[in-house]
Short mmCIF file of all heavy atoms in Angstrom, two decimals:
data_model
loop_
_atom_site.label_atom_id
_atom_site.label_comp_id
_atom_site.label_asym_id
_atom_site.label_seq_id
_atom_site.Cartn_x
_atom_site.Cartn_y
_atom_site.Cartn_z
N ALA A 1 -5.42 7.89 11.67
CA ALA A 1 -4.94 7.97 10.29
C ALA A 1 -5.74 7.01 9.43
O ALA A 1 -6.08 5.90 9.86
CB ALA A 1 -3.46 7.62 10.22
N GLU A 2 -6.04 7.45 8.24
CA GLU A 2 -6.68 6.56 7.26
C GLU A 2 -5.65 5.64 6.63
O GLU A 2 -5.87 4.45 6.43
CB GLU A 2 -7.39 7.39 6.20
CG GLU A 2 -8.19 6.60 5.20
CD GLU A 2 -8.98 7.52 4.28
OE1 GLU A 2 -8.40 7.99 3.28
OE2 GLU A 2 -10.17 7.79 4.59
N ASP A 3 -4.50 6.22 6.31
CA ASP A 3 -3.38 5.44 5.79
C ASP A 3 -2.13 6.31 5.84
O ASP A 3 -2.18 7.49 6.20
CB ASP A 3 -3.64 4.92 4.36
CG ASP A 3 -3.96 6.05 3.39
OD1 ASP A 3 -3.37 7.15 3.52
OD2 ASP A 3 -4.80 5.85 2.50
N TRP A 4 -0.99 5.71 5.46
CA TRP A 4 0.25 6.47 5.34
C TRP A 4 1.12 5.83 4.28
O TRP A 4 0.95 4.67 3.91
CB TRP A 4 0.99 6.57 6.67
CG TRP A 4 1.40 5.25 7.29
CD1 TRP A 4 2.41 4.42 6.90
CD2 TRP A 4 0.79 4.63 8.42
NE1 TRP A 4 2.48 3.32 7.71
CE2 TRP A 4 1.49 3.43 8.65
CE3 TRP A 4 -0.27 4.97 9.25
CZ2 TRP A 4 1.16 2.55 9.70
CZ3 TRP A 4 -0.59 4.11 10.28
CH2 TRP A 4 0.11 2.92 10.50
N GLU A 5 2.07 6.63 3.81
CA GLU A 5 3.02 6.16 2.81
C GLU A 5 4.41 6.61 3.22
O GLU A 5 4.64 7.78 3.52
CB GLU A 5 2.69 6.74 1.43
CG GLU A 5 3.67 6.29 0.35
CD GLU A 5 3.38 6.92 -1.00
OE1 GLU A 5 2.51 7.82 -1.06
OE2 GLU A 5 4.03 6.54 -1.98
N LEU A 6 5.33 5.65 3.27
CA LEU A 6 6.71 5.95 3.65
C LEU A 6 7.60 5.83 2.42
O LEU A 6 7.63 4.79 1.75
CB LEU A 6 7.19 4.97 4.73
CG LEU A 6 8.65 5.09 5.15
CD1 LEU A 6 8.92 6.42 5.84
CD2 LEU A 6 9.05 3.93 6.07
N VAL A 7 8.28 6.91 2.10
CA VAL A 7 9.26 6.91 1.02
C VAL A 7 10.63 6.96 1.68
O VAL A 7 11.10 8.03 2.10
CB VAL A 7 9.06 8.11 0.07
CG1 VAL A 7 10.09 8.07 -1.05
CG2 VAL A 7 7.65 8.10 -0.49
N THR A 8 11.27 5.80 1.83
CA THR A 8 12.51 5.72 2.62
C THR A 8 13.66 6.46 1.96
O THR A 8 14.54 6.99 2.64
CB THR A 8 12.90 4.26 2.85
OG1 THR A 8 12.95 3.58 1.58
CG2 THR A 8 11.89 3.57 3.75
N ASP A 9 13.67 6.53 0.61
CA ASP A 9 14.76 7.23 -0.07
C ASP A 9 14.76 8.72 0.28
O ASP A 9 15.82 9.37 0.33
CB ASP A 9 14.64 7.06 -1.59
CG ASP A 9 14.93 5.62 -2.02
OD1 ASP A 9 15.53 4.88 -1.22
OD2 ASP A 9 14.53 5.24 -3.13
N ASP A 10 13.57 9.27 0.51
CA ASP A 10 13.45 10.69 0.83
C ASP A 10 13.22 10.93 2.32
O ASP A 10 13.06 12.08 2.75
CB ASP A 10 12.29 11.31 0.04
CG ASP A 10 12.52 11.27 -1.46
OD1 ASP A 10 13.69 11.36 -1.87
OD2 ASP A 10 11.54 11.13 -2.21
N ASP A 11 13.17 9.87 3.12
CA ASP A 11 12.90 9.98 4.56
C ASP A 11 11.60 10.73 4.82
O ASP A 11 11.49 11.52 5.76
CB ASP A 11 14.05 10.69 5.28
CG ASP A 11 15.33 9.87 5.30
OD1 ASP A 11 15.21 8.63 5.23
OD2 ASP A 11 16.41 10.44 5.36
N GLU A 12 10.58 10.46 3.99
CA GLU A 12 9.30 11.14 4.13
C GLU A 12 8.19 10.15 4.44
O GLU A 12 8.11 9.08 3.85
CB GLU A 12 8.95 11.91 2.86
CG GLU A 12 9.77 13.17 2.69
CD GLU A 12 9.28 14.02 1.53
OE1 GLU A 12 8.34 13.59 0.83
OE2 GLU A 12 9.85 15.11 1.33
N LEU A 13 7.35 10.55 5.38
CA LEU A 13 6.19 9.76 5.78
C LEU A 13 4.96 10.66 5.62
O LEU A 13 4.82 11.66 6.33
CB LEU A 13 6.34 9.31 7.24
CG LEU A 13 5.24 8.46 7.86
CD1 LEU A 13 5.16 7.10 7.18
CD2 LEU A 13 5.50 8.29 9.35
N THR A 14 4.09 10.32 4.68
CA THR A 14 2.89 11.12 4.41
C THR A 14 1.68 10.44 5.01
O THR A 14 1.41 9.27 4.71
CB THR A 14 2.69 11.33 2.90
OG1 THR A 14 3.85 11.96 2.35
CG2 THR A 14 1.48 12.21 2.64
N VAL A 15 0.97 11.14 5.88
CA VAL A 15 -0.16 10.58 6.62
C VAL A 15 -1.44 11.31 6.23
O VAL A 15 -1.47 12.54 6.17
CB VAL A 15 0.07 10.71 8.14
CG1 VAL A 15 -1.12 10.16 8.91
CG2 VAL A 15 1.35 10.01 8.55
N THR A 16 -2.48 10.51 5.97
CA THR A 16 -3.80 11.07 5.68
C THR A 16 -4.75 10.74 6.82
O THR A 16 -4.88 9.57 7.21
CB THR A 16 -4.37 10.50 4.37
OG1 THR A 16 -3.46 10.78 3.30
CG2 THR A 16 -5.73 11.12 4.05
N LEU A 17 -5.39 11.75 7.38
CA LEU A 17 -6.34 11.55 8.48
C LEU A 17 -7.66 11.00 7.96
O LEU A 17 -8.05 11.23 6.80
CB LEU A 17 -6.62 12.88 9.19
CG LEU A 17 -5.50 13.48 10.03
CD1 LEU A 17 -5.86 14.92 10.40
CD2 LEU A 17 -5.25 12.66 11.27
N ARG A 18 -8.38 10.28 8.82
CA ARG A 18 -9.74 9.90 8.51
C ARG A 18 -10.60 11.16 8.39
O ARG A 18 -10.29 12.20 8.98
CB ARG A 18 -10.31 8.98 9.59
CG ARG A 18 -9.58 7.67 9.76
CD ARG A 18 -10.24 6.78 10.79
NE ARG A 18 -9.42 5.61 11.07
CZ ARG A 18 -9.43 4.50 10.33
NH1 ARG A 18 -10.25 4.42 9.30
NH2 ARG A 18 -8.65 3.49 10.64
N SER A 19 -11.68 11.05 7.69
CA SER A 19 -12.58 12.19 7.56
C SER A 19 -13.50 12.28 8.77
O SER A 19 -13.73 11.29 9.48
CB SER A 19 -13.40 12.07 6.27
OG SER A 19 -14.17 10.86 6.29
N ASP A 20 -14.02 13.49 9.00
CA ASP A 20 -15.03 13.72 10.05
C ASP A 20 -14.55 13.29 11.42
O ASP A 20 -15.23 12.55 12.14
CB ASP A 20 -16.35 13.01 9.71
CG ASP A 20 -16.93 13.50 8.39
OD1 ASP A 20 -16.83 14.71 8.11
OD2 ASP A 20 -17.46 12.67 7.65
N LEU A 21 -13.37 13.77 11.81
CA LEU A 21 -12.84 13.50 13.14
C LEU A 21 -13.07 14.72 14.03
O LEU A 21 -12.90 15.86 13.58
CB LEU A 21 -11.34 13.18 13.08
CG LEU A 21 -10.94 11.90 12.35
CD1 LEU A 21 -9.42 11.80 12.30
CD2 LEU A 21 -11.53 10.67 13.02
N TYR A 22 -13.41 14.49 15.30
CA TYR A 22 -13.74 15.58 16.20
C TYR A 22 -13.10 15.37 17.57
O TYR A 22 -12.93 14.24 18.04
CB TYR A 22 -15.26 15.71 16.38
CG TYR A 22 -15.98 16.02 15.10
CD1 TYR A 22 -16.51 15.00 14.31
CD2 TYR A 22 -16.11 17.34 14.65
CE1 TYR A 22 -17.16 15.28 13.12
CE2 TYR A 22 -16.76 17.63 13.46
CZ TYR A 22 -17.28 16.59 12.69
OH TYR A 22 -17.91 16.87 11.51
N TRP A 23 -12.77 16.51 18.21
CA TRP A 23 -12.40 16.50 19.62
C TRP A 23 -13.66 16.39 20.46
O TRP A 23 -14.78 16.61 19.96
CB TRP A 23 -11.63 17.77 19.98
CG TRP A 23 -10.36 17.95 19.22
CD1 TRP A 23 -10.11 18.86 18.22
CD2 TRP A 23 -9.15 17.20 19.37
NE1 TRP A 23 -8.83 18.72 17.75
CE2 TRP A 23 -8.21 17.70 18.43
CE3 TRP A 23 -8.77 16.14 20.20
CZ2 TRP A 23 -6.93 17.19 18.31
CZ3 TRP A 23 -7.49 15.63 20.08
CH2 TRP A 23 -6.58 16.15 19.16
N HIS A 24 -13.49 16.06 21.71
CA HIS A 24 -14.65 15.87 22.59
C HIS A 24 -15.48 17.14 22.76
O HIS A 24 -16.66 17.06 23.11
CB HIS A 24 -14.19 15.38 23.97
CG HIS A 24 -13.61 14.01 23.94
ND1 HIS A 24 -12.73 13.55 24.89
CD2 HIS A 24 -13.76 12.98 23.05
CE1 HIS A 24 -12.37 12.31 24.61
NE2 HIS A 24 -12.99 11.94 23.50
N ASP A 25 -14.88 18.31 22.51
CA ASP A 25 -15.65 19.55 22.64
C ASP A 25 -16.31 19.97 21.33
O ASP A 25 -16.87 21.06 21.23
CB ASP A 25 -14.76 20.68 23.16
CG ASP A 25 -13.57 20.99 22.25
OD1 ASP A 25 -13.48 20.37 21.16
OD2 ASP A 25 -12.74 21.83 22.63
N GLY A 26 -16.25 19.09 20.32
CA GLY A 26 -16.93 19.35 19.06
C GLY A 26 -16.08 20.01 17.99
O GLY A 26 -16.51 20.10 16.83
N GLU A 27 -14.87 20.47 18.35
CA GLU A 27 -13.99 21.07 17.35
C GLU A 27 -13.44 19.99 16.42
O GLU A 27 -13.13 18.88 16.85
CB GLU A 27 -12.83 21.80 18.03
CG GLU A 27 -13.23 23.05 18.80
CD GLU A 27 -13.66 24.15 17.87
OE1 GLU A 27 -13.02 24.34 16.81
OE2 GLU A 27 -14.65 24.84 18.20
N PRO A 28 -13.29 20.28 15.12
CA PRO A 28 -12.75 19.27 14.20
C PRO A 28 -11.26 19.04 14.41
O PRO A 28 -10.52 19.96 14.80
CB PRO A 28 -13.01 19.89 12.82
CG PRO A 28 -13.09 21.36 13.06
CD PRO A 28 -13.68 21.53 14.44
N ILE A 29 -10.82 17.82 14.18
CA ILE A 29 -9.40 17.48 14.23
C ILE A 29 -8.82 17.71 12.84
O ILE A 29 -9.34 17.20 11.84
CB ILE A 29 -9.19 16.02 14.65
CG1 ILE A 29 -9.77 15.78 16.04
CG2 ILE A 29 -7.71 15.66 14.62
CD1 ILE A 29 -9.73 14.32 16.46
N THR A 30 -7.75 18.49 12.77
CA THR A 30 -7.14 18.81 11.48
C THR A 30 -5.65 18.48 11.51
O THR A 30 -5.07 18.15 12.54
CB THR A 30 -7.31 20.30 11.14
OG1 THR A 30 -6.50 21.08 12.04
CG2 THR A 30 -8.77 20.73 11.27
N ALA A 31 -5.05 18.63 10.32
CA ALA A 31 -3.61 18.39 10.21
C ALA A 31 -2.81 19.35 11.08
O ALA A 31 -1.70 19.03 11.52
CB ALA A 31 -3.19 18.52 8.75
N GLU A 32 -3.35 20.54 11.35
CA GLU A 32 -2.65 21.49 12.22
C GLU A 32 -2.52 20.94 13.64
O GLU A 32 -1.53 21.21 14.33
CB GLU A 32 -3.39 22.83 12.25
CG GLU A 32 -3.18 23.67 11.01
CD GLU A 32 -3.64 25.10 11.21
OE1 GLU A 32 -4.03 25.44 12.35
OE2 GLU A 32 -3.59 25.86 10.24
N ASP A 33 -3.50 20.17 14.12
CA ASP A 33 -3.39 19.54 15.43
C ASP A 33 -2.26 18.52 15.45
O ASP A 33 -1.57 18.37 16.47
CB ASP A 33 -4.71 18.87 15.80
CG ASP A 33 -5.83 19.87 16.05
OD1 ASP A 33 -5.64 20.76 16.90
OD2 ASP A 33 -6.88 19.76 15.40
N VAL A 34 -2.08 17.81 14.34
CA VAL A 34 -0.99 16.83 14.25
C VAL A 34 0.35 17.55 14.30
O VAL A 34 1.26 17.17 15.06
CB VAL A 34 -1.12 16.00 12.96
CG1 VAL A 34 0.05 15.02 12.84
CG2 VAL A 34 -2.45 15.25 12.93
N GLU A 35 0.50 18.58 13.49
CA GLU A 35 1.74 19.35 13.50
C GLU A 35 2.02 19.91 14.88
O GLU A 35 3.16 19.82 15.39
CB GLU A 35 1.63 20.50 12.49
CG GLU A 35 2.86 21.40 12.45
CD GLU A 35 2.63 22.62 11.58
OE1 GLU A 35 1.52 23.21 11.65
OE2 GLU A 35 3.56 23.00 10.84
N PHE A 36 1.01 20.49 15.52
CA PHE A 36 1.16 21.05 16.86
C PHE A 36 1.61 19.98 17.86
O PHE A 36 2.51 20.23 18.68
CB PHE A 36 -0.16 21.66 17.33
CG PHE A 36 -0.17 22.02 18.79
CD1 PHE A 36 0.41 23.20 19.23
CD2 PHE A 36 -0.74 21.17 19.73
CE1 PHE A 36 0.42 23.52 20.58
CE2 PHE A 36 -0.74 21.48 21.08
CZ PHE A 36 -0.16 22.66 21.51
N THR A 37 1.01 18.80 17.81
CA THR A 37 1.33 17.74 18.77
C THR A 37 2.81 17.41 18.76
O THR A 37 3.46 17.36 19.82
CB THR A 37 0.51 16.48 18.47
OG1 THR A 37 -0.88 16.76 18.67
CG2 THR A 37 0.93 15.33 19.38
N TYR A 38 3.39 17.20 17.58
CA TYR A 38 4.79 16.79 17.52
C TYR A 38 5.72 17.94 17.89
O TYR A 38 6.76 17.73 18.55
CB TYR A 38 5.10 16.23 16.13
CG TYR A 38 4.57 14.83 15.96
CD1 TYR A 38 3.24 14.60 15.60
CD2 TYR A 38 5.37 13.73 16.22
CE1 TYR A 38 2.74 13.32 15.48
CE2 TYR A 38 4.89 12.43 16.10
CZ TYR A 38 3.56 12.24 15.74
OH TYR A 38 3.07 10.96 15.64
N ASP A 39 5.37 19.16 17.51
CA ASP A 39 6.17 20.32 17.94
C ASP A 39 6.10 20.47 19.46
O ASP A 39 7.11 20.78 20.11
CB ASP A 39 5.65 21.59 17.27
CG ASP A 39 5.95 21.65 15.78
OD1 ASP A 39 6.81 20.86 15.32
OD2 ASP A 39 5.32 22.46 15.08
N PHE A 40 4.93 20.26 20.02
CA PHE A 40 4.72 20.46 21.45
C PHE A 40 5.43 19.38 22.27
O PHE A 40 6.01 19.68 23.32
CB PHE A 40 3.21 20.44 21.73
CG PHE A 40 2.82 21.01 23.07
CD1 PHE A 40 2.98 22.35 23.33
CD2 PHE A 40 2.27 20.20 24.06
CE1 PHE A 40 2.62 22.90 24.55
CE2 PHE A 40 1.90 20.73 25.27
CZ PHE A 40 2.07 22.08 25.52
N LEU A 41 5.40 18.14 21.80
CA LEU A 41 6.08 17.07 22.53
C LEU A 41 7.59 17.30 22.55
O LEU A 41 8.26 16.94 23.51
CB LEU A 41 5.76 15.71 21.89
CG LEU A 41 4.32 15.22 22.02
CD1 LEU A 41 4.14 13.91 21.27
CD2 LEU A 41 3.90 15.05 23.48
N GLU A 42 8.12 17.90 21.51
CA GLU A 42 9.56 18.16 21.46
C GLU A 42 9.94 19.35 22.33
O GLU A 42 11.02 19.39 22.91
CB GLU A 42 10.00 18.41 20.02
CG GLU A 42 11.50 18.51 19.86
CD GLU A 42 11.93 18.49 18.41
OE1 GLU A 42 11.07 18.46 17.52
OE2 GLU A 42 13.16 18.50 18.17
N ASP A 43 9.03 20.32 22.46
CA ASP A 43 9.30 21.48 23.30
C ASP A 43 7.96 22.04 23.78
O ASP A 43 7.28 22.76 23.05
CB ASP A 43 10.07 22.55 22.54
CG ASP A 43 10.34 23.80 23.38
OD1 ASP A 43 10.20 23.71 24.62
OD2 ASP A 43 10.68 24.85 22.79
#
């Protein structure tokens, strides 16, 4: 993450990824990978 912002009144945490992030196989890391990770860990 490059940074994050927590708004406690709204229970929201907004995270911004660093730019130019890659997986070891060369695919780019995107926000969809983040969403997938948390969904996958839960089920």
Side-chain angles (χ1 to χ4, degrees):
E2 185 174 84
D3 56 36
W4 60 75
E5 179 183 8
L6 176 66
V7 181
T8 53
D9 291 342
D10 297 328
D11 292 334
E12 286 188 357
L13 180 66
T14 302
V15 179
T16 302
L17 290 168
R18 298 183 188 276
S19 59
D20 300 322
L21 295 176
Y22 298 94
W23 299 108
H24 293 156
D25 60 5
E27 291 291 319
I29 300 174
T30 69
E32 284 194 5
D33 292 304
V34 177
E35 178 188 41
F36 169 81
T37 295
Y38 283 84
D39 289 344
F40 197 67
L41 292 177
E42 188 169 3
D43 179 16

